[in-house]
């Protein structure tokens, strides 16, 4: 193998299969047999006077054809060997109109189709130039200069034209075979990439579907928590009140039981409305009740449970369905926490207003009641409110106030992210009570 076959190249030669090697060996054997038969038969026919083949003739002819068995393993080396043995065979009385010419043609084609790009054009060019030199030398030696310039020129022009066509065809065919193989390889590579990309996209689709299902489950859980948590807490307070006064004040106990009955019906109605909204594909569909209408119902329900609720709604425009629902859920969950953690006897203030392009929500209590459940620094209620507000690009804060109460504040933009201006801050002095001032952060 020559250095031309091992030179580095960005586009290595195609891999050779075992079947390809077997076909090359069979082709080499056929051409070798054809050359031997022609070399032995033609002199016996006596059609023309031919020199007797020598050992050099037979050896060079056999090597020339047999080397083709390795033409795809070392295409440039095989071309050099075939070209040299072709010249030796011709200058030593070799006469074969098939085997030798086919062997040389295949060697040139294979050098173009399988040779390395860094050397194949140089090797082919040098070999063909050398063969044209031997052609000219053979012509001069066969005819001689004394035979006449005109005869020599005519013969030389004919031989050159024939060989130009012969080698050009071999050169072009080799390039075409190589380019076709490169296109097939590129197509196969792109097909593999597309198949891998298809699998990746399918996995991504599955992940997206799983994430969407998880998000929907969380959304449903959040809605059910807000509805059930509020109404169950209210009914629990009312049931406790009915139990305490049942013996000494049956009328008051009956009123508490009626309130429990009303709360239960309200909870069922609210659940049906929430489920209908979750099933709806129309995001712009109006809710059954606006936040202002629901706020009045919440205030009445909390008052029956012993929490005095004062509401202030200032300049609140009609809200999109999702934002209206988010605002209502924040107020509902905040008041539920007031009932549970501050208890009956507490006063709470709710303020809703538009500040620029944002909806501001503030719920404050004075913490002067009897807690039903000890308040902690965090919980699922606060987490749910924060997630709901941040889902719409808003801000959420829950803080203790110095006088023992609690403050929940949320700011939700009415415009998409990037379109809303800087939200205006709530002036605590503008609320209906001073319980919203002197705020400190709750311990985590």
């Amino acid at each position: 193998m020559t250095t031309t076959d091992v030179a580095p190249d960005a586009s290595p030669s195609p891999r050779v299969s075992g079947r390809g090697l077997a076909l090359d060996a069979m082709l080499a054997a056929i051409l070798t047999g054809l050359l031997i038969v022609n070399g032995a038969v033609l002199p016996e026919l006596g059609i023309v006077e031919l020199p007797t083949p020598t050992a050099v003739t037979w050896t060079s002819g056999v090597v020339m054809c047999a080397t083709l068995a390795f033409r795809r393993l070392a295409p440039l080396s095989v071309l050099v060997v075939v070209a040299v043995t072709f010249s030796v065979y011709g200058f030593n009385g070799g006469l074969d109109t098939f085997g030798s010419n086919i062997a040389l043609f295949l060697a040139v084609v294979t050098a173009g189709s399988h040779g390395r790009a860094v050397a194949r054009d140089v090797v082919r060019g040098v070999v063909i130039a050398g063969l044209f030199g031997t052609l000219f030398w053979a012509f001069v030696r066969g005819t001689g200069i004394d035979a006449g310039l005109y005869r020599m020129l005519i013969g030389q022009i004919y031989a050159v034209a024939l060989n130009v066509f012969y080698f050009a065809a071999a050169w072009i065919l080799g390039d075409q075979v190589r380019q076709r193989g490169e296109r097939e390889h590129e197509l196969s590579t792109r097909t593999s990439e597309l198949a891998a990309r298809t699998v990746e996209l399918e996995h991504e689709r599955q992940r997206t579907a799983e994430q969407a299902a998880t998000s929907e489950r969380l959304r449903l859980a959040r809605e059910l928590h807000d509805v059930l948590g509020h109404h169950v807490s209210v009914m629990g307070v009312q049931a406790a009140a009915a139990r305490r006064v049942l013996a000494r004040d049956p009328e008051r106990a009956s009123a508490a039981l009626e309130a429990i009955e009303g709360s239960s019906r309200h909870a069922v109605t609210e659940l049906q409305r929430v489920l209908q909204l979750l099933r709806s594909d129309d995001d712009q569909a109006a809710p059954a009740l606006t936040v202002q209408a629901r706020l009045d119902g919440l205030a009445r329900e909390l008052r029956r449970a012993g929490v005095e609720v004062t509401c202030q709604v200032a300049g609140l425009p009609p809200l999109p369905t999702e934002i209206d629902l988010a605002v209502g859920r924040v107020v509902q969950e905040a008041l539920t926490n007031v009932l549970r953690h501050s208890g009956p006897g507490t006063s709470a203030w709710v303020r809703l207003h538009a500040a620029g392009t944002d909806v501001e929500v503030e719920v404050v209590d004075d913490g002067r009641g009897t807690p039903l459940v000890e308040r902690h620094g965090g919980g699922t209620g606060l987490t749910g409110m924060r997630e709901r507000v941040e889902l719409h690009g808003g801000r959420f804060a829950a803080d203790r106030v110095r006088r023992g109460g609690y403050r929940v504040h949320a700011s939700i933009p009415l415009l998409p992210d990037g379109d809303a201006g800087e939200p205006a801050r709530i002036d605590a002095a503008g609320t209906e009570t001073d319980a919203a001032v002197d705020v400190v952060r709750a311990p985590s």
Side-chain angles (χ1 to χ4, degrees), residues 19-20 33 46 76 78 86 139 163 205 218 273 301-302 387:
R19 180 182 179 184
L76 301 183
V78 168
F86 179 87
F139 182 81
N163 283 275
R205 186 194 66 79
L218 292 176
R273 191 188 70 80
E301 197 171 21
L302 266 292
E387 290 176 351

Side-chain angles (χ1 to χ4, degrees), residues 141-156:
R141 195 182 73 167
T143 59
I145 300 298
D146 296 337
L149 182 61
Y150 177 76
R151 179 183 175 187
M152 184 180 69
L153 288 177
I154 293 298
Q156 207 50 357

Side-chain angles (χ1 to χ4, degrees), residues 305-322:
V307 177
E308 185 60 33
V309 179
T310 301
C311 301
Q312 179 185 3
V313 179
L316 194 65
L319 302 178
T321 301
E322 292 296 328

Side-chain angles (χ1 to χ4, degrees), residues 333-345:
E333 182 62 26
L335 289 177
T336 301
N337 285 344
V338 170
L339 176 62
R340 298 179 65 201
H341 302 300
S342 294

Side-chain angles (χ1 to χ4, degrees), residues 117-135:
V118 69
R120 61 171 172 256
D121 291 342
V122 174
V123 173
R124 285 187 296 177
V126 170
V127 167
I128 292 174
L131 289 173
F132 269 104
T134 60
L135 176 66

Side-chain angles (χ1 to χ4, degrees), residues 85 116 150 155 158 182 190 225-226 266 341 372:
T85 53
R116 295 183 178 273
Y150 177 76
Y158 173 78
E182 291 173 351
R190 292 183 61 185
H225 171 271
D226 291 346
H266 191 191
H341 302 300
L372 302 177

Side-chain angles (χ1 to χ4, degrees), residues 1 18 82 95 158 180 217 233 305 332 334 371:
M1 181 180 294
V82 169
L95 179 62
Y158 173 78
R180 178 181 177 182
R217 287 196 298 270
S233 296
Q332 180 180 3

Side-chain angles (χ1 to χ4, degrees), residues 85-436:
T85 53
F86 179 87
S87 301
V88 172
Y89 181 76
F91 280 115
N92 286 272
L95 179 62
D96 174 29
T97 58
F98 298 105
S100 59
N101 289 326
I102 293 176
L104 181 60
F105 186 86
L106 289 177
V108 176
V109 170
T110 306
S113 62
H114 288 72
R116 295 183 178 273
V118 69
R120 61 171 172 256
D121 291 342
V122 174
V123 173
R124 285 187 296 177
V126 170
V127 167
I128 292 174
L131 289 173
F132 269 104
T134 60
L135 176 66
F136 179 76
W137 170 249
F139 182 81
V140 171
R141 195 182 73 167
T143 59
I145 300 298
D146 296 337
L149 182 61
Y150 177 76
R151 179 183 175 187
M152 184 180 69
L153 288 177
I154 293 298
Q156 207 50 357
I157 290 173
Y158 173 78
V160 168
L162 182 62
N163 283 275
V164 164
F165 176 80
Y166 174 86
F167 287 116
W171 188 299
I172 294 173
L173 181 59
D175 288 345
Q176 291 295 319
V177 172
R178 183 188 72 254
Q179 291 169 6
R180 178 181 177 182
E182 291 173 351
R183 286 194 297 268
E184 291 178 349
H185 177 71
E186 181 181 359
L187 180 60
S188 176
T189 301
R190 292 183 61 185
T191 301
S192 300
E193 292 175 353
L194 289 175
R197 181 58 178 164
T198 300
V199 173
E200 181 181 353
L201 289 175
E202 178 62 21
H203 291 165
E204 183 66 24
R205 186 194 66 79
Q206 293 177 357
R207 287 193 296 269
T208 302
E210 292 173 357
Q211 292 173 357
T214 301
S215 299
E216 187 63 20
R217 287 196 298 270
L218 292 176
R219 180 188 177 196
L220 180 59
R222 186 165 54 241
E223 295 293 342
L224 294 178
H225 171 271
D226 291 346
V227 173
L228 294 178
H230 169 75
H231 291 290
V232 169
S233 296
V234 171
M235 287 188 290
V237 172
Q238 293 167 339
R243 179 179 55 81
R244 287 194 297 268
V245 302
L246 181 61
R248 65 176 184 273
D249 194 348
E251 292 184 1
R252 187 176 175 185
S254 177
L257 292 175
E258 290 178 0
I260 293 175
E261 181 182 1
S263 295
S264 64
R265 286 198 298 266
H266 191 191
V268 172
T269 301
E270 189 73 5
L271 280 174
Q272 291 174 344
R273 191 188 70 80
V274 168
L275 294 176
Q276 181 180 5
L277 181 62
L278 290 175
R279 293 191 188 103
S280 175
D281 293 330
D282 184 6
D283 293 336
Q284 302 301 322
L289 292 174
T290 64
V291 64
Q292 300 183 49
R294 292 200 303 274
L295 185 57
D296 294 338
L298 286 172
R300 289 193 300 270
E301 197 171 21
L302 266 292
R303 291 188 190 108
R304 288 197 299 267
V307 177
E308 185 60 33
V309 179
T310 301
C311 301
Q312 179 185 3
V313 179
L316 194 65
L319 302 178
T321 301
E322 292 296 328
I323 294 180
D324 186 279
L325 181 60
V327 171
R329 291 301 183 218
V330 169
V331 173
Q332 180 180 3
E333 182 62 26
L335 289 177
T336 301
N337 285 344
V338 170
L339 176 62
R340 298 179 65 201
H341 302 300
S342 294
T346 303
S347 294
W349 295 265
V350 179
R351 186 187 185 200
L352 304 179
H353 74 287
T357 57
D358 291 1
V359 176
E360 300 283 346
V361 182
E362 188 176 32
V363 179
V364 184
D365 69 271
D366 58 11
R368 295 176 182 176
T370 303
L372 302 177
V373 179
E374 183 180 355
R375 188 188 296 273
H376 300 283
T380 58
L382 294 178
T383 301
M385 285 189 283
R386 183 182 302 277
E387 290 176 351
R388 188 183 294 278
V389 171
E390 292 179 350
L391 179 65
H392 297 282
R395 296 174 298 175
F396 176 83
D399 315 290
R400 291 186 184 275
V401 295
R402 295 186 188 278
R403 301 183 183 183
Y406 215 75
R407 174 180 180 263
V408 170
H409 173 246
S411 177
I412 302 177
L414 294 174
L415 299 178
D417 292 344
D419 295 336
E422 179 66 22
R425 299 185 181 277
I426 293 178
D427 183 3
T431 60
E432 296 182 1
T433 176
D434 61 356

